[in-house]
Amino acid sequence: MNYTDLAPAYIRAIAPYQPGKPISELERELGITDIVKLASNENPLGASPKAVAAARAALDDVGLYPDGNGYALKDALAQRYGVALDQVVLGNGSNDLLELAARAYLTAGDRAIYSDHAFAVYPLAIQAVGATGISVPAKDFGHDLEGMHAAAVQQDAKLIFIANPNNPTGTFLPGAVLHEFLRALPAQILVVLDEAYNEYLPVECRYDSVSWLCEFPNLIVSRTFSKAYGLASLRVGYALGDAQVMDMINRVRQPFNVNSVAQAAAVEALQDLDFVRRTFDLNLRGMRQITAGLFGLGLEYIPSYGNFVSFRIADAAQVYRRLLELGVIVRPIANYAMPDYLRVSIGLETENEKFLTALKKILGEL
Ligand SMILES: *Cc1c(COP(=O)(O)O)cnc(C)c1O
């Protein structure tokens, strides 16, 4: 029996997601220690101590199912963003919400739109339900909203994924441009606006997408506790949107998709504004450190609005492997049609320094 052929063709066609290499795996493979991981856009400060304390306390009750309705966290989010409780859905990471949006609205034969070089989960979520993903050519590595609008209308697409800022390019669309895009878009086309890096936006770039929800019921805003809040391992994210849309997404959600430890930690993380501020400040300094270092090495990079930056380098795959040998894990992005680039997450000052020193050494060897 061939169990590959037994799966539908659209499942067989899926290229699995390639995560950043875990530190423990590199330790096993090369027998080295003192490894720096700058590969998954994690928070180098870890998480808010208050969130970690809440997670620890929640361990006492792991024998019980979590609140499947996620009341405390949804209530905290509803208050923070000025929306009703039924406009919030929680996810097992925001990745879950991207999939749930696809599952709720797409079926075989439907089409959905995303940009070239956009987050890899979009095509996965679309393909997993047998729908067809259409990738629109990027403009200077960023989303070409006019092209995406045209493709969506021409192809009669039901769903559009937009990452702002985008990963792995770090590119950013100003709020006014996004708003105009939504205004011009036919209301039957849903838009998932993935704002995983929202908290890293410089003050002058911030915009209030949540306030657009009354104007655009076809808008779904997704955010996460994995990045600036530092809870990547606990898997918790949320979507905000129209109550009818959230209702549909809720119907395809696993009843207990967010565990109680994650819920408890996220409630505290949301309130610890000081931690988010420290994260933001550290990232700003680290971004300057790394981009100045790349510039000093004569390397071209794509200006980034997230907690990572992608830079162009000859023999990227080889440089990636050599960096591993020197104890630095970055992210190759050939699977994003960027084979000449590597993506590095912003770390602590010492981690950034270790990366730059290793890179300099490698460039001297080549
Ligand atoms: C990291 C990331 C996410 C989500 O991560 P979760 O841990 O599942 O919340 C979503 N979108 C983009 C663009 C990301 O980079």
Side-chain angles (χ1 to χ4, degrees):
M1 180 55 80
N2 182 324
Y3 291 99
T4 303
D5 290 347
L6 216 49
Y10 63 84
I11 298 295
R12 280 182 270 140
I14 290 176
Y17 183 80
Q18 296 169 7
K21 188 186 259 309
I23 289 177
S24 56
E25 187 177 302
L26 185 60
E27 280 175 348
R28 252 189 341 264
E29 285 173 2
L30 298 184
I32 57 174
T33 50
D34 262 341
I35 293 164
V36 163
K37 184 185 177 205
L38 300 174
S40 300
N41 303 343
E42 292 147 335
N43 191 326
L45 294 177
S48 153
K50 291 174 191 155
V52 174
R56 281 209 180 91
L59 287 174
D60 287 343
D61 291 323
V62 288
L64 304 175
Y65 279 100
D67 175 2
N69 190 31
Y71 177 78
L73 179 54
K74 274 169 48 175
D75 187 50
L77 288 164
Q79 287 189 37
R80 165 68 55 86
Y81 293 110
V83 297
L85 271 180
D86 61 4
Q87 290 188 273
V88 187
V89 180
L90 303 180
N92 189 356
S94 60
N95 198 318
D96 194 21
L97 295 156
L98 305 175
E99 286 186 13
L100 293 174
R103 188 142 22 114
Y105 281 99
L106 301 176
T107 188
D110 285 340
R111 283 172 290 279
I113 305 281
Y114 51 89
S115 172
D116 280 359
H117 317 301
F119 189 43
V121 166
Y122 310 150
L124 288 177
I126 296 163
Q127 251 181 299
V129 297
T132 301
I134 296 163
S135 189
V136 173
K139 229 184 191 167
D140 296 330
F141 289 107
H143 289 42
D144 171 10
L145 289 185
E146 278 175 34
M148 292 176 80
H149 175 120
V153 171
Q154 272 161 25
Q155 306 276 346
D156 196 20
K158 287 179 83 174
L159 187 58
I160 301 177
F161 285 100
I162 293 174
N164 199 41
N166 182 44
N167 170 21
T169 58
T171 49
F172 167 73
L173 298 158
V177 172
L178 270 175
H179 187 269
E180 179 52 29
F181 167 81
L182 290 164
R183 211 191 47 71
L185 197 71
Q188 78 275 14
I189 305 177
L190 286 152
V191 175
V192 174
L193 181 57
D194 176 355
E195 298 182 328
Y197 301 96
N198 178 267
E199 295 82 5
Y200 289 103
L201 285 178
V203 180
E204 67 276 15
C205 290
R206 291 187 193 160
Y207 59 96
D208 187 3
S209 50
V210 179
S211 72
W212 304 341
L213 291 175
C214 13
E215 197 182 345
F216 307 119
N218 57 333
L219 174 63
I220 301 165
V221 173
S222 81
R223 304 235 178 118
T224 183
F225 285 95
S226 297
K227 306 286 160 60
Y229 292 101
L231 300 178
S233 180
L234 290 182
R235 315 302 304 127
V236 51
Y238 56 97
L240 306 173
D242 178 77
Q244 281 180 3
V245 176
M246 296 299 107
D247 180 24
M248 290 303 111
I249 290 181
N250 235 330
R251 293 179 195 214
V252 293
R253 178 178 72 79
Q254 277 187 42
F256 303 107
N257 64 332
V258 183
N259 69 74
S260 51
V261 178
Q263 288 187 34
V267 167
E268 289 306 313
L270 189 67
Q271 310 307 335
D272 196 345
L273 298 176
D274 184 58
F275 177 81
V276 177
R277 158 58 55 130
R278 282 193 286 126
T279 295
F280 176 88
D281 290 344
L282 179 77
N283 188 63
L284 193 68
R285 290 198 299 277
M287 182 67 82
R288 289 195 190 120
Q289 181 190 0
I290 288 203
T291 52
L294 292 171
F295 182 81
L297 293 172
L299 296 170
E300 193 186 305
Y301 61 87
I302 306 171
S304 170
Y305 292 79
N307 64 343
F308 55 89
V309 60
S310 291
F311 59 98
R312 191 177 177 148
I313 189 154
D315 304 315
Q318 197 190 332
V319 172
Y320 166 69
R321 284 192 297 271
R322 191 69 191 105
L323 279 168
L324 290 181
E325 289 167 6
L326 296 174
V328 180
I329 311 174
V330 298
R331 190 74 158 265
I333 47 176
N335 55 329
Y336 285 88
M338 296 172 69
D340 304 330
Y341 285 79
L342 292 174
R343 189 195 72 191
V344 61
S345 305
I346 309 303
L348 300 171
E349 187 181 351
T350 48
E351 296 173 328
N352 301 335
E353 196 53 50
K354 178 162 172 156
F355 157 72
L356 288 169
T357 305
L359 192 58
K360 185 173 181 186
K361 182 167 194 276
I362 293 166
L363 287 172
E365 292 166 357
L366 285 174

